Amino acid sequence: MQAQTVAPLKVQRTSVKQKIARGMILAGIGSIILVKIYLVVFVIDLITGIYGLITTSLVFVAFLFAFLKYQDPSFTGKFPPPEKPHFVSVIIPAKNDPVIIRKSVAAILNSTYPHTEIIFVNDGSTDDTGAVMDELHKENPEKVKVIHMVQNVGKRRAIREALLQGSPKGEIILLIDSDSVVKDDAIEKIVRVFDDPDVGAATGSAKVINVDQNILTKIQDTWYDGQFFVIKGMESCFNSVTCCSGSLSAYRKEAILPCLDAWCNDKFLGIEFRPGDDRHLTSYVLGGNKHYIDRKNKSWKVVYCAGALVYTEAPSTLKKFVNQQIRWKKSWVRVFLFNAPFFFKNRHVVSVLYYYTQMTLSLLAPIIAYRALVYLPLNGRVYDAMFYLFGLLFLGLMFGITYRLRNPDTGDRWLYRILMTPLSVFFSSLMYYSIFTVKNKSWLTR
């Protein structure tokens, strides 16, 4: 077989207008840092002020690298394509999702990248999901495989069964959530990243498929954009993306096979731990294989491919959103403890300092929020609370403007990013709840 037959991708360049806007955003955040230094020295509570100053500085670093250094690895052209195209095995575990999986399969089959197969895992569904999967197999017998689990085993074990029972032909394993639909060129773009032989995993960008459902889904769409482009973009500058999103991520099979059993049977505080499958698998690729499994294993690059776009369903009610946040925070705690002993090894100093500082500040966030919004005002220091909230709102505004620059056809939707500010204060309080209830499985969806 000859070299890949897909068409060359066009490099997307930043316009002069966007460069100016990005410069103004960086200048704005820099100005806030200077203001906060003045406030810490002369005006506000020292503890709250130092926390806010460090937090703002971290955000500035993220914007700085995302704007000035990040390049989508699918466009760099540093590595020649292989003589034989990368074959991709797409694994989709699903429980009780009969409607959207049809859309998901149609998107993959209509993809601009033809060298794929699909392996479904029916994870103990109680509706007609299994029947829909069988129909899709009959319609596309050479492209679609189906594995039926008698009972629900969870996403990790479902993926493991796909890798063992499904006999995937691809050297690239693409994981897609059952509520996600890829853009037509997403697979083509994310696969090109693996022309670099040292890349072990890559993640794409997620947008909310039900964005117009209500205010909450609009907030999440604007929030996702910043979490991907700014945060993962910065991490990707150092080949150290800490979480490949479950909605669309690709792994080199060689990079995940060593940890498959350990990842699948993970235990935390003596019990099986299911949340955070995507974050945990990413951590094994980053260095967990080498640190925990065998020192002969390789620590791989993990990168972010901004052009690989997937549309995913976001929680549309506050209850579902809170449940999701609790699961994510539980996984965050567990994986942080997993990463802490090895993440600093063989990584750029900026990446190391950013990661450990960010994790520490996240643990302190509920205490700082209580101090700024409750304790200090009760002691007559209302201005401290005002400065605290102003700082959060300003950073939300910067993320909102960035969303508008990247999505110029979305009208005034960027304003919804500012509404994430009060939600973020509330969600920070869920950190300790998540820690104290880490053994509680009632919040799980699979």
Side-chain angles (χ1 to χ4, degrees):
M1 186 179 293
Q2 300 299 317
Q4 291 179 218
T5 57
V6 293
L9 297 174
K10 295 182 178 179
V11 178
Q12 296 177 340
R13 301 187 183 279
T14 304
S15 67
V16 174
K17 181 179 179 181
Q18 288 177 319
K19 289 180 180 179
I20 294 173
R22 288 182 175 187
M24 293 178 65
I25 290 173
L26 291 175
I29 300 176
S31 299
I32 285 295
I33 291 176
L34 295 177
V35 170
K36 287 194 172 185
I37 291 175
Y38 172 83
L39 292 174
V40 168
V41 175
F42 297 106
V43 182
I44 64 175
D45 172 66
L46 184 63
I47 295 176
T48 306
I50 291 176
Y51 175 89
L53 178 61
I54 297 174
T55 301
T56 306
S57 298
L58 283 182
V59 174
F60 178 78
V61 169
F63 273 96
L64 183 70
F65 281 95
F67 282 171
L68 302 183
K69 193 175 187 301
Y70 172 74
Q71 289 183 305
D72 189 328
S74 66
F75 291 120
T76 59
K78 292 181 179 179
F79 301 91
E83 293 183 2
K84 183 178 181 181
H86 297 293
F87 194 84
V88 180
S89 295
V90 183
I91 296 177
I92 306 178
K95 179 187 177 185
N96 297 343
D97 285 322
V99 177
I100 201 166
I101 57 173
R102 284 191 174 277
K103 297 179 181 179
S104 183
V105 169
I108 296 168
L109 295 178
N110 293 323
S111 168
T112 58
Y113 193 81
H115 313 291
T116 62
E117 66 175 354
I118 301 170
I119 304 176
F120 273 124
V121 184
N122 174 24
D123 190 16
S125 298
T126 55
D127 58 7
D128 60 346
T129 297
V132 170
M133 290 180 177
D134 288 334
E135 290 177 13
L136 291 168
H137 166 67
K138 292 178 180 178
E139 294 169 5
N140 307 274
E142 296 183 358
K143 297 279 285 187
V144 178
K145 301 177 184 178
V146 181
I147 298 172
H148 293 283
M149 307 302 295
V150 176
Q151 59 184 11
N152 178 249
V153 296
K155 186 177 177 181
R156 297 187 191 219
R157 294 179 185 273
I159 292 172
R160 178 178 181 272
E161 291 305 311
L163 287 166
L164 297 181
Q165 290 189 41
S167 301
K169 297 183 294 182
E171 72 271 25
I172 306 300
I173 304 298
L174 194 71
L175 301 182
I176 299 178
D177 283 342
S178 57
D179 59 358
S180 301
V181 178
V182 295
K183 194 172 181 291
D184 59 351
D185 61 353
I187 299 177
E188 176 187 351
K189 288 180 177 179
I190 203 167
V191 166
R192 293 202 178 201
V193 173
F194 290 89
D195 291 346
D196 181 348
D198 292 323
V199 169
T203 190
S205 294
K207 295 189 70 65
V208 176
I209 197 171
N210 56 329
V211 60
D212 292 322
Q213 187 168 349
N214 54 39
I215 293 176
L216 186 58
T217 55
K218 292 177 181 178
I219 291 174
Q220 290 174 85
D221 186 59
T222 59
W223 178 52
Y224 283 6
D225 187 80
Q227 293 301 110
F228 280 92
F229 178 71
V230 177
I231 305 303
K232 294 188 190 300
M234 184 277 298
E235 292 179 331
S236 188
C237 291
F238 306 103
N239 302 310
S240 301
V241 173
T242 54
C243 180
C244 288
S245 171
S247 55
L248 175 62
S249 291
Y251 297 85
R252 199 179 295 273
K253 186 161 60 176
E254 177 188 354
I256 60 175
L257 286 181
C259 69
L260 194 57
D261 288 337
W263 171 73
C264 178
N265 298 292
D266 182 51
K267 289 187 177 181
F268 185 55
L269 300 178
I271 63 171
E272 179 187 4
F273 193 79
R274 290 190 178 184
D277 48 272
D278 44 9
R279 185 181 295 273
H280 199 190
L281 188 58
T282 305
S283 295
Y284 272 111
V285 177
L286 278 170
N289 282 336
K290 188 177 183 68
H291 184 78
Y292 291 104
I293 307 298
D294 189 335
R295 291 185 178 180
K296 295 180 181 179
N297 286 326
K298 183 175 180 178
S299 295
W300 299 84
K301 296 178 182 178
V302 180
V303 297
Y304 163 60
C305 180
L309 188 61
V310 62
Y311 297 90
T312 188
E313 191 170 24
S316 57
T317 67
L318 185 59
K319 180 179 179 180
K320 290 180 180 179
F321 193 28
V322 170
N323 291 352
Q324 180 198 65
Q325 293 299 309
I326 290 174
R327 292 195 307 273
W328 286 1
K329 290 187 183 302
K330 286 182 178 182
S331 71
W332 181 93
V333 172
R334 192 274 174 274
V335 176
F336 175 48
L337 295 176
F338 179 87
N339 282 348
F342 72 84
F343 188 84
F344 62 91
K345 298 179 180 179
N346 302 316
R347 303 229 166 259
H348 194 283
V349 63
V350 173
S351 178
V352 170
L353 290 175
Y354 186 94
Y355 179 73
Y356 287 100
T357 304
Q358 180 193 44
M359 298 300 104
T360 302
L361 292 180
S362 296
L363 288 171
L364 294 175
I367 297 174
I368 299 300
Y370 172 80
R371 181 179 180 85
L373 300 177
V374 179
Y375 175 76
L376 291 175
L378 287 177
N379 286 273
R381 304 196 59 168
V382 178
Y383 284 111
D384 291 88
M386 294 175 60
F387 285 124
Y388 175 80
L389 289 174
F390 173 79
L392 292 177
L393 287 169
F394 180 83
L395 292 180
L397 178 63
M398 295 300 99
F399 277 104
I401 294 174
T402 302
Y403 176 88
R404 181 69 175 82
L405 288 173
R406 288 171 37 77
N407 303 273
D409 299 327
T410 54
D412 61 357
R413 191 186 300 162
W414 65 277
L415 292 169
Y416 287 92
R417 178 58 180 84
I418 302 175
L419 297 179
M420 189 65 194
T421 298
L423 287 178
S424 65
V425 175
F426 168 69
F427 287 139
S428 71
S429 66
L430 296 177
M431 176 63 73
Y432 295 152
Y433 176 85
S434 301
I435 293 173
F436 294 138
T437 61
V438 71
K439 291 186 176 182
N440 184 358
K441 298 182 180 181
S442 62
W443 297 100
L444 300 179
T445 57
R446 296 188 184 280

